[in-house]
Amino acid sequence: MGPGPAAPDEALYDLCIGQPGRFAKRSNATLRLTDEGIDYALEGRSGLRPYSGLKAVRIQLFSPAPHLSALIQLDFIKGWPLIVHSSTLDGQIAKGRGRTFVAFVTDLHRRLSPQDRARIVFRRGFSPVRHLVITIGAVVIAVPAFGLLLLALVGQVPIGQAIWPGIPGALLAAGFLNLAFWSRPGRYDPERLPDGLWPRS
């Protein structure tokens, strides 16, 4: 059972939540933000998780522009992290869900006390290791793809033989590079949220 009706100083957000792990189960949930913490229900467990127990926040782009999908991961001193997605249960981008996600993230940061903001680590993008893997993968795909197209332009390879493997490879590499650019690791100021990681739906 999820949170009940919101009090005047509270706000409710219907979003998709989950826990870390590639195959972790997601659930639709109503999250209640209060001045003390986040109240939600997941897999039969419910309760208030106070901001005082929050140790780190990460905002991360999950798919590149123009179909922006994002998530925010909240790491607590005790218990599992909470991941809130802007997409649906099956990873689709639903109209209006992005605006709800942005409102939730903005409201969450607004409710943090100055002491919490000074203590919590605010990160953006992928972890450095994951970002490096994505960047290397993009380069590995891009070099032969663009090289093949270049050879076709100078007449070293027939154009017909270069187009089919070259263009899809170049587009795939461009997508990975775009994701690597928008999801580069770093820190952000909780007073100035990173606009480049907002979903547009």
Side-chain angles (χ1 to χ4, degrees), residues 23-38:
F23 301 104
K25 180 181 178 181
R26 294 187 186 183
S27 300
N28 286 321
T30 298
L31 298 100
R32 182 209 302 266
L33 289 183
T34 73
D35 289 338
E36 289 75 36
I38 308 169

Side-chain angles (χ1 to χ4, degrees), residues 11 14-15 23 30 32-33 54 62 71 73 78 86 122:
D14 293 320
L15 289 165
F23 301 104
T30 298
R32 182 209 302 266
L33 289 183
L54 191 58
F62 212 60
L71 62 82
Q73 178 170 325
K78 295 182 179 180
S86 70
F122 296 93

Side-chain angles (χ1 to χ4, degrees), residues 5 33 35 46 63 70 74-75 112 120 135-136 138 150 159 163 169-170 172 188 191 194 197:
L33 289 183
D35 289 338
S46 62
S63 62
L74 307 174
D75 295 320
L112 296 175
I120 296 170
T135 303
I136 292 175
L150 180 61
I159 293 180
I163 287 179
L172 182 61
Y188 71 90
E191 299 283 350
L197 299 182

Side-chain angles (χ1 to χ4, degrees), residues 14-144:
D14 293 320
L15 289 165
C16 176
I17 65 175
Q19 293 175 343
R22 183 176 180 84
F23 301 104
K25 180 181 178 181
R26 294 187 186 183
S27 300
N28 286 321
T30 298
L31 298 100
R32 182 209 302 266
L33 289 183
T34 73
D35 289 338
E36 289 75 36
I38 308 169
D39 187 16
Y40 66 95
L42 177 63
E43 296 182 351
R45 302 188 304 274
S46 62
L48 182 72
R49 304 194 74 175
Y51 303 130
S52 59
L54 191 58
K55 65 178 182 179
V57 175
R58 180 186 296 276
I59 300 177
Q60 176 181 308
L61 189 67
F62 212 60
S63 62
H67 304 296
L68 295 180
S69 173
L71 62 82
I72 181 171
Q73 178 170 325
L74 307 174
D75 295 320
F76 294 87
I77 297 172
K78 295 182 179 180
W80 285 95
L82 171 66
I83 299 178
V84 182
H85 299 265
S86 70
S87 56
T88 61
L89 282 177
D90 55 0
Q92 299 300 310
I93 300 172
K95 185 177 181 180
R97 183 67 71 96
R99 290 190 294 272
T100 302
F101 176 83
V102 171
F104 168 79
V105 174
T106 303
D107 192 11
L108 170 68
H109 285 76
R110 180 183 63 82
R111 292 174 183 270
L112 296 175
S113 68
Q115 293 79 12
D116 288 332
R117 294 185 182 192
R119 172 181 51 81
I120 296 170
V121 178
F122 296 93
R123 299 187 178 95
R124 54 153 292 154
F126 290 127
S127 67
V129 172
R130 189 174 183 183
H131 184 264
L132 179 62
V133 170
I134 292 174
T135 303
I136 292 175
V139 172
V140 169
I141 297 172
V143 170

